[in-house]
Amino acid sequence: MSSIPTLPGIASQMVQTPRLKIHVLSRGPAGGIPVLLIHGNASSATFWEETLLALPPQYRGIAPDLRGYGDTEDQLIDATRGYFDWVDDLLGLMDALGVERFHLAGHSLGGGVVYSLIAAAAARVRSATLFAPASPYGFGGTKGLEGTPCYPDFAGSGGGIVSPEFARLIGEGYRGSEFPSSPRTVMNTFYWKPPFIPAREEALLSGVLSEKIGPQKYPGDSVPSANWPGAAPGRFGPANAISPKYVGDTVERFLAADPRPPILWVRGAEDQIVSDHSLFDMGTLGAAGAVPGWPGAEVFPPQPMVGQTRAVLERYGSFREHVIPETGHSPQIERPDLVDPLFHAHLEAAG
């Protein structure tokens, strides 16, 4: 089933849901306690294989390729719904699998899906784990711990800030490392802290290359803006879906969840993608002189992604934060010896 070779013990299947056909990797007994694992941007379910294999035997790990990624049916993402195309897909998947309640974990963009899924269906979630999650306010274009928009049109977020060269090389299936924007270079520079290289580098690179590319896919569309850096979010694709323009009232809906599933937040101390000075954030790049015309820190400072997450989770109340030293954006891949015990204990404590 999977276009990417899987590790022994990992099952691959296509599941027809009411919305689309979803590719799923899984491991564990059919009657086991379900754990739904949601991958990030420019990756796929392949990134969860070691995590699936490490789950204690009483759990059934379920790792789908999100809409727009991997071997899941190629359908457009309506970015104006924020994360909710993915949320509805995943709830439909769990219904199709006959799963009512489940543990939930998300990495990076997948963390944003976690917030929205709790906002939509908290009663179905036993526990949630956030691995290096996106800010609850979305990616780019906000300032302050309350997620205040830098501009009314949310310029500086969405498809217009994605490297077109990175997207082009993904679309070409480029596996080299000659260019700074090559998928392999980006993965090994930013997904984890160099000089770490995962044992399954080639399979993980294939996961990166599985993202669907196009003007309505990734990087998505954008609209011209009079505000710096000159582009505001469009209406399609994952980069626009995670813009604060469309994340909207998700934070308040998340904070209104009843019940509130307990949350474990695990992040790398040296994450360069999700941080208070992300190297993928226009405020950070503008302050460094990498993007001309920066309007200054009062107008468009670096987005305090970690600070925003902590402020929201402190209002949520039921959470624990763990920072993994000498680790980048993928602590579950870089340091499973430290992360898996935390994850498994959290699952066990939630019952």
Side-chain angles (χ1 to χ4, degrees), residues 159-186 208-209 213 218-220 280:
I161 68 169
V162 174
S163 163
E165 184 74 356
F166 179 61
R168 181 182 68 81
L169 292 171
I170 290 177
E172 293 177 0
Y174 181 72
R175 304 188 73 93
S177 57
E178 290 85 347
F179 311 112
S181 294
S182 69
R184 185 187 301 272
T185 301
V186 170
V208 175
L209 297 175
I213 303 300
Y218 185 76
F280 290 73

Short mmCIF file of all heavy atoms in Angstrom, two decimals, residues 159-186 208-209 213 218-220 280:
data_model
loop_
_atom_site.label_atom_id
_atom_site.label_comp_id
_atom_site.label_asym_id
_atom_site.label_seq_id
_atom_site.Cartn_x
_atom_site.Cartn_y
_atom_site.Cartn_z
N GLY A 159 0.83 31.19 2.07
CA GLY A 159 1.57 30.64 0.95
C GLY A 159 2.62 31.56 0.37
O GLY A 159 3.60 31.10 -0.22
N GLY A 160 2.42 32.87 0.51
CA GLY A 160 3.34 33.82 -0.09
C GLY A 160 4.70 33.89 0.56
O GLY A 160 5.63 34.49 0.01
N ILE A 161 4.86 33.29 1.76
CA ILE A 161 6.16 33.36 2.43
C ILE A 161 6.94 32.05 2.30
O ILE A 161 8.05 31.93 2.81
CB ILE A 161 6.02 33.73 3.92
CG1 ILE A 161 5.34 32.61 4.71
CG2 ILE A 161 5.26 35.05 4.06
CD1 ILE A 161 5.42 32.82 6.22
N VAL A 162 6.37 31.07 1.60
CA VAL A 162 7.06 29.80 1.40
C VAL A 162 8.14 29.95 0.33
O VAL A 162 7.93 30.62 -0.68
CB VAL A 162 6.06 28.70 0.98
CG1 VAL A 162 6.77 27.40 0.62
CG2 VAL A 162 5.05 28.46 2.09
N SER A 163 9.28 29.32 0.55
CA SER A 163 10.34 29.32 -0.46
C SER A 163 9.86 28.62 -1.72
O SER A 163 9.61 27.41 -1.70
CB SER A 163 11.59 28.61 0.07
OG SER A 163 12.47 28.26 -0.98
N PRO A 164 9.74 29.34 -2.84
CA PRO A 164 9.29 28.68 -4.07
C PRO A 164 10.28 27.63 -4.56
O PRO A 164 9.88 26.64 -5.18
CB PRO A 164 9.14 29.83 -5.07
CG PRO A 164 9.96 30.94 -4.52
CD PRO A 164 9.96 30.78 -3.03
N GLU A 165 11.57 27.82 -4.27
CA GLU A 165 12.58 26.85 -4.67
C GLU A 165 12.42 25.54 -3.90
O GLU A 165 12.54 24.45 -4.47
CB GLU A 165 13.97 27.43 -4.44
CG GLU A 165 15.12 26.55 -4.91
CD GLU A 165 15.28 26.51 -6.42
OE1 GLU A 165 14.45 27.12 -7.13
OE2 GLU A 165 16.22 25.87 -6.90
N PHE A 166 12.15 25.64 -2.61
CA PHE A 166 11.91 24.44 -1.79
C PHE A 166 10.72 23.67 -2.33
O PHE A 166 10.79 22.44 -2.52
CB PHE A 166 11.68 24.86 -0.34
CG PHE A 166 11.39 23.74 0.62
CD1 PHE A 166 12.30 22.72 0.83
CD2 PHE A 166 10.19 23.71 1.34
CE1 PHE A 166 12.04 21.69 1.73
CE2 PHE A 166 9.92 22.69 2.24
CZ PHE A 166 10.84 21.67 2.42
N ALA A 167 9.63 24.37 -2.62
CA ALA A 167 8.43 23.71 -3.15
C ALA A 167 8.72 23.09 -4.52
O ALA A 167 8.28 21.97 -4.81
CB ALA A 167 7.28 24.70 -3.23
N ARG A 168 9.44 23.83 -5.37
CA ARG A 168 9.74 23.29 -6.71
C ARG A 168 10.55 22.01 -6.62
O ARG A 168 10.27 21.03 -7.34
CB ARG A 168 10.50 24.34 -7.53
CG ARG A 168 10.83 23.89 -8.95
CD ARG A 168 11.62 24.94 -9.71
NE ARG A 168 12.96 25.11 -9.16
CZ ARG A 168 14.00 24.31 -9.45
NH1 ARG A 168 13.83 23.27 -10.25
NH2 ARG A 168 15.19 24.56 -8.93
N LEU A 169 11.54 21.99 -5.76
CA LEU A 169 12.40 20.81 -5.65
C LEU A 169 11.64 19.62 -5.06
O LEU A 169 11.90 18.47 -5.43
CB LEU A 169 13.64 21.14 -4.82
CG LEU A 169 14.62 22.12 -5.49
CD1 LEU A 169 15.69 22.57 -4.51
CD2 LEU A 169 15.25 21.50 -6.73
N ILE A 170 10.70 19.87 -4.14
CA ILE A 170 9.84 18.78 -3.67
C ILE A 170 9.05 18.22 -4.84
O ILE A 170 8.97 16.99 -5.04
CB ILE A 170 8.89 19.26 -2.56
CG1 ILE A 170 9.65 19.56 -1.27
CG2 ILE A 170 7.80 18.21 -2.30
CD1 ILE A 170 8.78 20.10 -0.16
N GLY A 171 8.47 19.11 -5.65
CA GLY A 171 7.68 18.67 -6.78
C GLY A 171 8.48 17.86 -7.78
O GLY A 171 7.93 16.97 -8.44
N GLU A 172 9.77 18.15 -7.90
CA GLU A 172 10.64 17.41 -8.82
C GLU A 172 11.16 16.13 -8.20
O GLU A 172 11.85 15.36 -8.88
CB GLU A 172 11.81 18.30 -9.24
CG GLU A 172 11.39 19.49 -10.09
CD GLU A 172 12.56 20.40 -10.44
OE1 GLU A 172 13.70 20.10 -10.00
OE2 GLU A 172 12.33 21.41 -11.13
N GLY A 173 10.87 15.90 -6.92
CA GLY A 173 11.40 14.71 -6.26
C GLY A 173 12.90 14.74 -6.09
O GLY A 173 13.56 13.70 -6.06
N TYR A 174 13.46 15.94 -5.92
CA TYR A 174 14.92 16.12 -5.88
C TYR A 174 15.50 15.57 -4.57
O TYR A 174 15.10 15.97 -3.48
CB TYR A 174 15.24 17.60 -6.03
CG TYR A 174 16.72 17.91 -6.03
CD1 TYR A 174 17.51 17.59 -7.12
CD2 TYR A 174 17.33 18.50 -4.93
CE1 TYR A 174 18.86 17.86 -7.13
CE2 TYR A 174 18.68 18.78 -4.93
CZ TYR A 174 19.45 18.45 -6.04
OH TYR A 174 20.79 18.72 -6.04
N ARG A 175 16.48 14.67 -4.68
CA ARG A 175 17.05 14.01 -3.51
C ARG A 175 18.49 14.46 -3.23
O ARG A 175 19.13 13.93 -2.31
CB ARG A 175 17.01 12.49 -3.68
CG ARG A 175 15.62 11.95 -3.95
CD ARG A 175 15.58 10.42 -3.92
NE ARG A 175 15.70 9.93 -2.56
CZ ARG A 175 14.67 9.65 -1.77
NH1 ARG A 175 13.42 9.82 -2.20
NH2 ARG A 175 14.86 9.18 -0.53
N GLY A 176 18.99 15.43 -3.97
CA GLY A 176 20.35 15.91 -3.75
C GLY A 176 20.44 16.87 -2.59
O GLY A 176 19.46 17.15 -1.89
N SER A 177 21.64 17.39 -2.39
CA SER A 177 21.86 18.34 -1.28
C SER A 177 22.72 19.51 -1.71
O SER A 177 23.33 20.17 -0.88
CB SER A 177 22.51 17.60 -0.10
OG SER A 177 23.72 16.99 -0.51
N GLU A 178 22.75 19.79 -3.02
CA GLU A 178 23.64 20.84 -3.52
C GLU A 178 23.15 22.25 -3.19
O GLU A 178 23.95 23.19 -3.19
CB GLU A 178 23.82 20.70 -5.04
CG GLU A 178 24.63 19.51 -5.49
CD GLU A 178 23.79 18.25 -5.62
OE1 GLU A 178 22.64 18.24 -5.15
OE2 GLU A 178 24.30 17.28 -6.20
N PHE A 179 21.86 22.41 -2.94
CA PHE A 179 21.29 23.74 -2.78
C PHE A 179 20.79 23.97 -1.36
O PHE A 179 20.30 23.04 -0.72
CB PHE A 179 20.12 23.94 -3.76
CG PHE A 179 20.44 23.55 -5.17
CD1 PHE A 179 19.83 22.45 -5.75
CD2 PHE A 179 21.37 24.27 -5.90
CE1 PHE A 179 20.13 22.07 -7.04
CE2 PHE A 179 21.67 23.91 -7.20
CZ PHE A 179 21.06 22.80 -7.77
N PRO A 180 20.87 25.20 -0.85
CA PRO A 180 20.36 25.47 0.50
C PRO A 180 18.88 25.13 0.67
O PRO A 180 18.45 24.77 1.77
CB PRO A 180 20.60 26.98 0.68
CG PRO A 180 21.69 27.30 -0.30
CD PRO A 180 21.50 26.38 -1.45
N SER A 181 18.10 25.25 -0.41
CA SER A 181 16.66 24.98 -0.33
C SER A 181 16.30 23.56 -0.73
O SER A 181 15.12 23.24 -0.87
CB SER A 181 15.88 25.97 -1.22
OG SER A 181 15.99 27.28 -0.72
N SER A 182 17.29 22.70 -0.94
CA SER A 182 16.96 21.32 -1.29
C SER A 182 16.29 20.65 -0.10
O SER A 182 16.64 20.90 1.05
CB SER A 182 18.20 20.54 -1.72
OG SER A 182 19.06 20.32 -0.62
N PRO A 183 15.28 19.79 -0.35
CA PRO A 183 14.57 19.15 0.77
C PRO A 183 15.49 18.41 1.73
O PRO A 183 15.28 18.48 2.95
CB PRO A 183 13.59 18.21 0.05
CG PRO A 183 13.34 18.88 -1.26
CD PRO A 183 14.64 19.51 -1.65
N ARG A 184 16.50 17.72 1.22
CA ARG A 184 17.40 17.00 2.12
C ARG A 184 18.17 17.98 3.01
O ARG A 184 18.32 17.75 4.22
CB ARG A 184 18.39 16.14 1.32
CG ARG A 184 19.28 15.27 2.22
CD ARG A 184 20.37 14.55 1.43
NE ARG A 184 19.87 13.69 0.39
CZ ARG A 184 19.53 12.42 0.56
NH1 ARG A 184 19.65 11.85 1.75
NH2 ARG A 184 19.08 11.70 -0.46
N THR A 185 18.63 19.09 2.44
CA THR A 185 19.38 20.07 3.23
C THR A 185 18.50 20.70 4.29
O THR A 185 18.90 20.85 5.45
CB THR A 185 19.96 21.15 2.30
OG1 THR A 185 20.83 20.53 1.35
CG2 THR A 185 20.73 22.18 3.10
N VAL A 186 17.28 21.08 3.91
CA VAL A 186 16.35 21.68 4.88
C VAL A 186 16.04 20.68 5.99
O VAL A 186 16.05 21.03 7.18
CB VAL A 186 15.07 22.14 4.16
CG1 VAL A 186 14.00 22.54 5.17
CG2 VAL A 186 15.37 23.30 3.22
N VAL A 208 9.11 13.69 3.10
CA VAL A 208 9.11 15.12 2.75
C VAL A 208 8.65 15.31 1.31
O VAL A 208 7.82 16.17 1.00
CB VAL A 208 10.51 15.73 2.96
CG1 VAL A 208 10.54 17.18 2.48
CG2 VAL A 208 10.94 15.64 4.42
N LEU A 209 9.20 14.49 0.41
CA LEU A 209 8.93 14.63 -1.02
C LEU A 209 7.51 14.20 -1.39
O LEU A 209 7.08 14.40 -2.53
CB LEU A 209 9.94 13.81 -1.82
CG LEU A 209 11.40 14.26 -1.68
CD1 LEU A 209 12.31 13.29 -2.44
CD2 LEU A 209 11.60 15.67 -2.19
N ILE A 213 2.30 19.21 -4.52
CA ILE A 213 2.79 20.52 -4.93
C ILE A 213 1.90 21.12 -6.00
O ILE A 213 1.44 20.42 -6.91
CB ILE A 213 4.24 20.41 -5.45
CG1 ILE A 213 5.15 19.80 -4.39
CG2 ILE A 213 4.77 21.77 -5.89
CD1 ILE A 213 5.25 20.58 -3.10
N TYR A 218 0.74 23.01 -2.30
CA TYR A 218 1.86 23.62 -1.59
C TYR A 218 2.80 24.20 -2.63
O TYR A 218 3.10 23.50 -3.59
CB TYR A 218 2.58 22.58 -0.74
CG TYR A 218 3.70 23.13 0.13
CD1 TYR A 218 3.42 23.83 1.29
CD2 TYR A 218 5.03 22.97 -0.24
CE1 TYR A 218 4.43 24.34 2.09
CE2 TYR A 218 6.05 23.49 0.55
CZ TYR A 218 5.74 24.16 1.71
OH TYR A 218 6.75 24.68 2.49
N PRO A 219 3.20 25.45 -2.56
CA PRO A 219 3.06 26.35 -1.41
C PRO A 219 1.70 27.01 -1.25
O PRO A 219 1.46 27.68 -0.26
CB PRO A 219 4.12 27.40 -1.69
CG PRO A 219 4.20 27.48 -3.18
CD PRO A 219 4.01 26.06 -3.64
N GLY A 220 0.81 26.86 -2.24
CA GLY A 220 -0.50 27.51 -2.15
C GLY A 220 -0.49 28.87 -2.80
O GLY A 220 0.54 29.36 -3.26
N PHE A 280 12.11 30.49 10.18
CA PHE A 280 11.11 30.42 9.11
C PHE A 280 10.06 31.52 9.27
O PHE A 280 9.09 31.56 8.52
CB PHE A 280 10.44 29.04 9.09
CG PHE A 280 11.36 27.95 8.62
CD1 PHE A 280 12.39 27.49 9.43
CD2 PHE A 280 11.21 27.39 7.37
CE1 PHE A 280 13.24 26.49 8.99
CE2 PHE A 280 12.06 26.40 6.92
CZ PHE A 280 13.08 25.94 7.74
#
